[in-house]
Amino acid sequence: MVIKKVCCIGAGYVGGPTCTVIAYKCPEVTVTVVDLSQERIDQWNSEDFNLPIYEPSLVEVVKECRGRNLFFSTDIDTAIQEADLIFISVNTPTKTFGLGKGRAPDLKYIENASRRIAKIADTDKIVVEKSTVPVRAAESIQRILQANNKPGCSFEVLSNPEFLAEGTAIRDLLNPDRVLIGGDETPRGRRAMEDLACVYENWIPRKKIILTNTWSSELSKLAGNAFLAQRISSINAMSAICEATGADVAEVAHAVGTDSRIGPKFLQASLGFGGSCFQKDVLNLVYLCEALNLPEVAAYWHQVIAMNDLQRRRFANKIISSLFNTVTDKKIAILGFAFKKDTGDTRESSSIYLCKFLMEEGAHLNIYDPQVVPQQILSELKYPSICDDPKKVDRLVTIFKSPYEAIKDTHAFVICTEWDEFVTLDYQTIYNSMLKPAFAFDGRRVLDHDNMQQIGFHIETVGKRRNMKGLNGYTPVTP
Ligand code: NAI
C-alpha cells in the first residue's frame, strides 16, 4: 500500500512535531493530527501561530504546511476513517493509583485510542504505536482491534518509537540517528513495515531505518532512555565524590568522555534530570523487570532514579547550608523552570523539586523562565505531592518577567535551567542589586565561576568545591 493519508491521535510534544515534519517532507501525503482537547487543537490552528508547545523552528515548518497537507482537528472519527495509517501518540504517564502505582505506565489513553480505531475504522489500517509503551503493548492493541473490528476490516500493528529530544525536536526529526520500526515477522507484518519505511524514505536514508521484531522495538525505546538517564546519574554520582574530595567533575567528564568507547555526550553534571520521559520510562522498565521476576535487574535500574532524587536533595541542602543553615523568610530567585533549555515543558523539572524543598523551609521564591507561563509554574507547584497547601504557594512564590527584577533584593539566585540568556546577564548589575553576601548557585554549570567570584559573589556549583579549605573531614588515603 502506498500511504496517502495519515492520522495521528495525540497532538502533543510528539504527535505535533513528528507529523508536522512528515507533512513537510511528504507533500503528497495528507496528515491530520487529532486530539480530544479542543484547546490544544485551537492553539495548533491559531492564526498568530501561538502553538501549544515551544520548539525552535516548529512555527516555521507549521507555517509552511498547515492548510496544505497538514491539518489539526478534533474530528477524530473522520480522520480515523480516512487514514491508511494511524499513529497513536497519546500520553502514557506513570500511574498514580492502583496496581503498579508510581511505576507502571498508565495505558488507558492507548486503550481508549485503540478502541476508538476499532469502532470507527471500516477499511484496513496500519496502526503504529508511537507512544512509549511496555514490551508487548502492541500485542494488547492488536487483541483489542481484532476483538472489535468490523467484518472484512483488518489491522496491522507496528511499533515505531520516537527518539526526538525536546528542545531539538525539529532538528532530530529532520536528521534522526535512526528510525526504528518493529512489526510481526509475517508477510503482512513485513509489508506494513515496508509501507511505513517508504514514508520515512522521503527524507531519511534507508540505512538509517532499522527493522526489528515488535518486542525488540518496544524494548529498545525503554533501553535507550534508561541508558541516557543512567549516564546522567553516573556523572552526578561522580559529582558528589568531586564535591567531597576537591576533584572537578568537568575535568573528570572530559577525561572519561575522550575515551572513544565512552564518548563525550550526556556527561554534564547538574542538579538532576527532568522531563516527561526519563523517570517515567526507567520506572516502566523497573516495573517490567519486577513483573518478569527479575528483582535484581529492577533494583539496578531503580538506582538511576534514586541517584537523581539524591542529586536534587543534595543541591537543595547545599543552598540551605551555604545560606547559614536557614532560608526561612529569605528571598531566593529561581532562574529557569523548564526541565531544560529551548522548551516550555515543565514535566518532572528539577526546578519543581528544588522549589518544593525550599518552600518546605519557608523560603520566598522569585521565579523567572523565558518560556513557561506563570499559570503553568503555579499549577506545577500546587500539585498535592509538591505542596499540600495551595495558599502557601501563593504566599511564597512570585513570578517575574525579567531575570533582573526576579533577582533584585534577594539573598541568592539559583540557575535551574541552562537557558543561553543566563550566561550573558550583566552579573555586576545583578550583584549590586542583591542583599549581601550575595549567593549564586549554578545548578547547570553555565556561569564563569572565577569571574562571579571576582565580582564578589559567593558561588556554589555541582561537582566542584569552590572553597578548598577543609574537606568535610576527608583525609586523602596515602598508599
Ligand atoms: P502529551 O501529553 O504532550 O500529548 C498527548 C496528547 O494525546 C494530549 O494532547 C492528549 O489530549 C491526547 N490524547 C490522549 N488520549 C487521546 C485520545 N484517546 N484521543 C485523542 N487524543 C488523545 O504527550 P507527549 O509528550 O507528546 O508524549 C506522547 C508519547 O510519546 C508518550 O508515550 C511519551 O512517553 C512518548 N515520547 C515523548 C517524548 C517527549 O519528548 N515528550 C519523546 C519520545 C517519546
Side-chain angles (χ1 to χ4, degrees), residues 303-322:
Q303 200 53 30
V304 170
I305 302 297
M307 185 52 61
N308 199 47
D309 293 342
L310 175 72
Q311 192 73 354
R312 290 165 168 169
R313 184 76 251 188
R314 276 190 340 103
F315 194 63
N317 289 355
K318 190 198 292 272
I319 294 172
I320 297 163
S321 66
S322 301

Side-chain angles (χ1 to χ4, degrees), residues 24 47 57 91 232 252 313 324 366 410 423 462 477-478:
Y24 176 62
E47 267 179 37
S57 305
N91 37 333
I232 300 175
V252 175
R313 184 76 251 188
F324 314 110
N366 292 356
T410 59
V423 180
V462 177
V477 182
T478 30

Side-chain angles (χ1 to χ4, degrees), residues 340-356:
K340 66 171 176 178
K341 75 171 181 177
D342 293 337
T343 177
D345 195 352
T346 58
R347 290 177 289 181
E348 287 301 325
S349 172
S350 287
S351 304
I352 300 171
Y353 293 90
L354 193 81
C355 291
K356 169 187 160 76

Side-chain angles (χ1 to χ4, degrees), residues 141-407:
I141 296 174
Q142 184 81 56
R143 280 189 64 195
I144 290 168
L145 293 173
Q146 255 166 9
N148 294 283
N149 65 344
K150 297 204 171 115
C153 167
S154 74
F155 301 100
E156 202 55 45
V157 179
L158 301 178
S159 158
N160 172 219
E162 185 49 60
F163 292 99
L164 69 79
E166 284 179 33
T168 52
I170 299 299
R171 199 177 73 199
D172 297 343
L173 287 162
L174 289 173
N175 187 22
D177 289 337
R178 77 310 208 182
V179 165
L180 181 57
I181 302 173
D184 272 357
E185 285 158 327
T186 58
R188 279 179 57 94
R190 204 78 203 168
R191 260 201 312 275
M193 288 159 84
E194 288 298 336
D195 291 343
L196 178 57
C198 276
V199 174
Y200 285 115
E201 272 186 89
N202 277 290
W203 76 100
I204 296 164
R206 180 70 204 207
K207 63 179 187 308
K208 281 191 175 183
I209 302 174
I210 303 171
L211 305 187
T212 67
N213 80 33
T214 317
W215 307 323
S216 304
S217 170
E218 290 173 328
L219 182 58
S220 298
K221 174 64 194 175
L222 295 183
N225 273 354
F227 276 47
L228 291 171
Q230 181 201 44
R231 274 176 80 97
I232 300 175
S233 279
S234 296
I235 198 69
N236 283 341
M238 289 301 152
S239 78
I241 302 175
C242 290
E243 288 163 35
T245 58
D248 179 343
V249 75
E251 292 177 349
V252 175
H254 177 68
V256 170
T258 45
D259 185 325
S260 60
R261 294 167 301 176
I262 297 173
K265 292 187 182 162
F266 267 72
L267 288 180
Q268 174 75 26
S270 71
L271 75 166
F273 61 73
S276 67
C277 292
F278 280 175
Q279 174 162 314
K280 164 176 83 71
D281 295 348
V282 175
L283 290 172
N284 184 338
L285 187 64
V286 168
Y287 186 70
L288 180 74
C289 296
E290 286 169 348
L292 295 171
N293 199 20
L294 299 167
E296 296 86 355
V297 185
Y300 173 77
W301 286 110
H302 195 262
Q303 200 53 30
V304 170
I305 302 297
M307 185 52 61
N308 199 47
D309 293 342
L310 175 72
Q311 192 73 354
R312 290 165 168 169
R313 184 76 251 188
R314 276 190 340 103
F315 194 63
N317 289 355
K318 190 198 292 272
I319 294 172
I320 297 163
S321 66
S322 301
L323 291 171
F324 314 110
N325 285 318
T326 176
V327 293
T328 312
D329 288 333
K330 284 186 177 156
K331 277 193 184 171
I332 301 176
I334 303 292
L335 296 194
F337 202 80
F339 83 92
K340 66 171 176 178
K341 75 171 181 177
D342 293 337
T343 177
D345 195 352
T346 58
R347 290 177 289 181
E348 287 301 325
S349 172
S350 287
S351 304
I352 300 171
Y353 293 90
L354 193 81
C355 291
K356 169 187 160 76
F357 298 141
L358 296 176
M359 284 194 299
E360 281 167 0
E361 297 288 331
H364 290 267
L365 304 178
N366 292 356
I367 303 178
Y368 166 76
D369 188 284
Q371 279 298 333
V372 184
V373 292
Q375 232 177 325
Q376 177 69 19
I377 296 176
L378 292 174
S379 88
E380 288 282 18
L381 295 179
K382 287 180 182 176
Y383 203 70
S385 64
I386 301 301
C387 185
D388 51 12
D389 178 7
K391 287 202 194 92
K392 188 173 171 186
V393 176
D394 291 332
R395 191 163 49 78
L396 293 177
V397 173
T398 316
I399 294 166
F400 286 82
K401 287 195 175 131
S402 134
Y404 294 99
E405 285 303 309
I407 302 176

